[in-house]
Amino acid sequence: MQAPSLGGVSVPRGNGSTVVRLRHGSSLNDFADKIDANPASLVTVLFHLGEMATATQSLDEDTFGTLAQELGYVIEMVSAEEEDRELLESFDMDLDAELEAEGDDELQARPPVVTVMGHVDHGKTKLLDAIRSTDVVAGEAGGITQHIGAYQVRAEHEGLDRAVTFIDTPGHEAFTAMRARGAQVTDIAILVVAADDGVMPQTIEALNHAQAANVPIVVAVNKVDKEGANPAKIRQQLTEYNLVAEEYGGETMFVDVSAKQGQGIDSLIEAVLLTADAALDLRANPDKDARGVAIEANLDKGRGAVATVLVQSGTLRVGDAVVAGTAHGRVRAMFDEHGDPVVEAGPARPVQVLGLTSVPSAGDTFIVARDDRTARQIAEKREAAERAALLAKRRKRISLEDFTQALQQGKVETLNLVLKGDVSGAVEALEDALLKIDVGEEVDLRVIHRGVGAITQNDVNLATVDNAIIIGFNVKFAERVEDLADREGVDVRFYSVIYQAIDDVEAALKGMLKPEYEEAQLGSAEIREIFRSSRFGNIAGSIVRSGTIVRNSKARVTRNGKVVGDNLTIESLKRFKDDATEVREGFECGIGLGSFNDLEIGDVIETWEMREKPRS
Ligand code: GDP
């Protein structure tokens, strides 16, 4: 239905409950696309609603809401994940429906995928090396020689030849980064604790991350070969964190190992399989198009984009058309961790894939598409969506400069800061000085994180979540973090002189304070005579007693010190017969107060204006 709208333009209208789904960061172009309208008409309609925007500019939910209501639509903002799901559905690749539809017949057992976590120096890397070299059942001549980001070992368990897949990047950081991207690849976590050192901060961090992700834990008590090793103490310490060893009546398997001497590795793998069988139902359908997660990727000079993919379901084959994040292509060749070519890869198998047009990010989902064209279209749509989201983010984050505006619009009340410095003394001094800035009541200054050292990914993530500004004192970005800050639109400022940092923050805080207004008296006039005019209402023949009477300024009328009319406007001002813009002290004039006619001789007309109060 077409109907004339605001501004005389014609826009297809909804019926008042027609739902339009838009992703965060959408523009009028996107909206126009959805309702089949001309973007220029939407710009016009929005303009008549009092908002100026270009067709390509990202708009917020409120603005879309206003526009949609006018046109008879209801806006639903969707997240990136939802949108991606819809995108895939539009290509007939409904992954959720696929999962639900799978019955017991199609599902087959698959190997568990394991990540090794724990405190630094407790032997994670060594343990991964040890496991790699125990892969005797497979009988590979050269053993595992390539680092491709994950590897699979085989072991005999209860008479069966079983495989276990290990993610070859130790630590919970990668694990959590992938989870943050919506990819959960790990089934079981091995928590490495050195028996000569005990439970340490990162041990606890790691187990928290695993528990948060609902991933069962197997504890590897490492370095039992060392003098002073006390494996019993580790078991006892970990009971505090809900990890109670089986021999103490709990459910967690603890295995004593020496990564260095290759002791206990078989038992550890056995424990992983036992835990997987007891706690998890690891099955997947190998007889369908593959989907998985990219766990590592890089650009190789000779081979182009190389991505290691962990297949999660289905089977990946050479020749498949694939899309991983915004990368797409056709699988040209696949290799395993031995460097051997692979023709097909089933569930839980890590393979290196050649043939993508660009390098995906770790954590990107990897799916097989019907054909090259579909793969390319999905990748392109994702890229466009990513770009739009990026622009939206850029606008959303705060910088020291745009604080004033954000505050005036009531969007923020707190300036969150992350402080990083080269030495702890400097960080403390900076924090003390910043917190001493007197900013009044309306604005809060909060230091949400402080630390020594380069500005890390973690700092930027924190600033992203809490809309904070990062201040670096005599420090730099850690490797690759600058890009991240840039992408996320986080304002990072570097200083080498403390007072400059303080000056900047103070200036921003003062500038950003909501302006306070006060009434400033302009002039007063006493009414001497009243002229009744049918055309202009009553005119007060007055003499200016102080200051100046200015046309169009605010006015009030007082009688014997009491206000009889307030919030009036000097609507007309005359010197004799001529219009005047202002009349100074001592002169006579005729004042018209619009429709306010309750005037008496002797009343005083005071005029005033609101002025911004300067801050000290
Ligand atoms: P990560 O930081 O957790 O990856 O720890 P590494 O695997 O790099 O190991 C840290 C140090 O502990 C290295 O010097 C290893 O040689 C040593 N180490 C690891 N496992 C053992 C072990 O079982 N016994 C002994 N004695 N030393 C070990």
Side-chain angles (χ1 to χ4, degrees):
M1 184 177 62
Q2 296 269 330
S5 177
L6 284 166
V9 294
S10 177
V11 175
R13 284 178 170 268
N15 63 12
S17 55
T18 317
V19 174
V20 174
R21 294 161 67 80
L22 290 173
R23 80 173 284 161
H24 293 282
S26 291
S27 64
L28 288 178
N29 266 341
D30 301 315
F31 189 19
D33 226 27
K34 299 261 160 128
I35 63 168
D36 218 3
N38 177 353
S41 324
L42 295 187
V43 173
T44 311
V45 175
L46 195 60
F47 179 77
H48 283 272
L49 290 170
E51 297 231 23
M52 294 254 272
T54 62
T56 52
Q57 185 182 333
S58 291
L59 300 177
D60 60 16
E61 192 171 350
D62 289 350
T63 310
F64 276 123
T66 314
L67 179 63
Q69 197 181 13
E70 178 63 31
L71 298 175
Y73 297 97
V74 178
I75 290 289
E76 244 179 63
M77 297 306 263
V78 295
S79 67
E81 293 79 35
E82 277 174 274
E83 203 197 37
D84 199 53
R85 195 173 308 132
E86 283 169 21
L87 169 68
L88 293 175
E89 274 170 27
S90 74
F91 285 95
D92 256 348
M93 293 165 70
D94 189 347
L95 303 168
D96 293 344
E98 230 172 79
L99 288 181
E100 278 163 26
E102 270 162 356
D104 275 354
D105 299 348
E106 287 101 19
L107 294 173
Q108 289 179 23
R110 66 161 175 87
V113 179
V114 180
T115 296
V116 175
M117 307 180 182
H119 195 72
V120 64
D121 273 350
H122 279 197
K124 300 180 291 293
T125 312
K126 200 92 186 155
L127 183 66
L128 278 164
D129 287 346
I131 296 167
R132 201 183 271 127
S133 55
T134 56
D135 185 23
V136 280
V137 183
E140 285 286 339
I144 297 169
T145 50
Q146 317 275 315
H147 173 93
I148 66 165
Y151 62 80
Q152 211 171 53
V153 296
R154 308 197 74 91
E156 205 170 294
H157 177 67
E158 291 168 356
L160 291 172
D161 176 24
R162 302 269 306 258
V164 181
T165 303
F166 286 88
I167 302 290
D168 206 1
T169 314
H172 57 271
E173 289 82 5
F175 168 83
T176 302
M178 286 220 221
R179 269 191 78 217
R181 313 207 53 214
Q184 173 127 338
V185 296
T186 303
D187 301 309
I188 290 185
I190 292 184
L191 182 64
V192 179
V193 191
D196 63 335
D197 200 16
V199 172
M200 299 300 275
Q202 284 164 340
T203 314
I204 297 162
E205 225 175 279
L207 77 87
N208 283 338
H209 282 268
Q211 282 172 345
N214 244 331
V215 168
I217 295 171
V218 171
V219 182
V221 181
N222 192 29
K223 305 197 188 183
V224 292
D225 60 288
K226 275 186 109 171
E227 215 175 299
N230 188 351
K233 189 176 134 211
I234 308 295
R235 285 168 173 72
Q236 196 252 317
Q237 281 183 330
L238 283 173
T239 53
E240 271 178 50
Y241 302 95
N242 278 331
L243 288 183
V244 183
E246 278 191 325
E247 53 263 48
Y248 295 173
E251 288 181 347
T252 306
M253 299 197 67
F254 281 65
V255 183
D256 293 343
V257 299
S258 164
K260 194 172 183 183
Q261 301 182 346
Q263 265 173 42
I265 306 300
D266 291 345
S267 317
L268 182 63
I269 293 175
E270 173 117 10
V272 166
L273 288 167
L274 283 169
T275 303
D277 292 347
L280 305 164
D281 176 25
L282 299 176
R283 293 187 300 165
N285 177 3
D287 298 318
K288 61 176 189 180
D289 284 342
R291 86 171 287 221
V293 175
I295 52 176
E296 217 176 86
N298 64 291
L299 195 62
D300 186 285
K301 271 207 196 94
R303 301 186 294 172
V306 178
T308 297
V309 177
L310 182 75
V311 177
Q312 294 183 297
S313 64
T315 298
L316 184 65
R317 294 186 176 83
V318 172
D320 282 346
V322 291
V323 48
T326 57
H328 65 98
R330 186 175 272 274
V331 179
R332 203 168 67 225
M334 298 195 287
F335 298 96
D336 65 11
E337 58 273 34
H338 308 284
D340 295 334
V342 176
V343 185
E344 49 175 49
R349 169 118 277 287
V351 271
Q352 226 175 21
V353 172
L354 270 54
L356 288 170
T357 49
S358 59
V359 181
S361 311
D364 277 344
T365 55
F366 184 98
I367 22 179
V368 170
R370 213 172 13 238
D371 48 39
D372 293 350
R373 197 166 143 261
T374 309
R376 196 190 65 237
Q377 282 175 345
I378 293 173
E380 280 168 0
K381 290 222 159 146
R382 278 182 174 163
E383 204 174 334
E386 232 170 55
R387 224 177 299 124
L390 196 73
L391 283 173
K393 260 189 191 159
R394 281 255 160 85
R395 267 185 208 97
K396 211 172 66 203
R397 306 259 177 267
I398 211 85
S399 76
L400 221 43
E401 281 83 14
D402 62 21
F403 225 97
T404 314
Q405 216 191 346
L407 195 98
Q408 280 166 3
Q409 292 167 351
K411 288 185 181 161
V412 286
E413 274 142 19
T414 310
L415 176 55
N416 286 336
L417 294 175
V418 171
L419 305 182
K420 291 301 284 273
D422 54 343
V423 287
S424 59
V427 177
E428 276 160 31
L430 189 59
E431 179 168 1
D432 277 355
L434 286 171
L435 293 177
K436 277 199 198 111
I437 297 177
D438 180 18
V439 291
E441 310 239 301
E442 300 95 324
V443 188
D444 257 349
L445 181 74
R446 263 202 318 158
V447 175
I448 56 170
H449 177 65
R450 64 199 65 63
V452 174
I455 290 159
T456 63
Q457 190 177 339
N458 198 26
D459 299 330
V460 173
N461 286 341
L462 202 65
T464 307
V465 176
D466 286 328
N467 246 337
I469 288 162
I470 301 179
I471 292 189
F473 181 74
N474 277 336
V475 293
K476 292 197 284 233
F477 277 116
E479 221 179 309
R480 287 198 298 269
V481 174
E482 185 165 5
D483 281 353
L484 178 71
D486 200 39
R487 266 202 316 279
E488 296 291 347
V490 172
D491 187 16
V492 184
R493 301 180 158 248
F494 296 97
Y495 297 93
S496 52
V497 183
I498 284 195
Y499 76 77
Q500 271 174 359
I502 296 162
D503 273 4
D504 275 10
V505 172
E506 185 163 5
L509 285 168
K510 297 231 157 124
M512 80 190 200
L513 290 169
K514 287 181 192 143
E516 264 180 34
Y517 290 96
E518 61 186 354
E519 210 173 271
Q521 189 145 44
L522 294 174
S524 65
E526 187 188 326
I527 301 182
R528 292 287 200 70
E529 213 172 330
I530 294 165
F531 305 98
R532 320 258 162 205
S533 152
S534 53
R535 255 177 79 199
F536 303 111
N538 290 351
I539 299 293
S542 319
I543 179 159
V544 180
R545 286 295 184 206
S546 67
T548 318
I549 301 295
V550 181
R551 185 144 52 114
N552 290 330
S553 62
K554 290 273 162 215
R556 71 168 61 91
V557 178
T558 59
R559 187 171 302 153
N560 303 322
K562 275 202 201 118
V563 177
V564 292
D566 208 347
N567 254 322
L568 309 169
T569 305
I570 308 286
E571 295 203 351
S572 70
L573 186 64
K574 279 186 190 286
R575 275 286 287 155
F576 304 109
K577 289 226 162 354
D578 300 325
D579 283 330
T581 43
E582 54 173 65
V583 178
R584 271 179 293 142
E585 189 178 328
F587 291 93
E588 289 183 336
C589 59
I591 297 172
L593 292 169
S595 56
F596 183 80
N597 284 325
D598 176 20
L599 297 173
E600 286 180 15
I601 291 169
D603 287 354
V604 174
I605 298 173
E606 287 174 6
T607 63
W608 44 275
E609 67 176 9
M610 293 308 281
R611 274 200 202 135
E612 195 177 327
K613 236 165 115 173
R615 285 183 185 274
S616 51

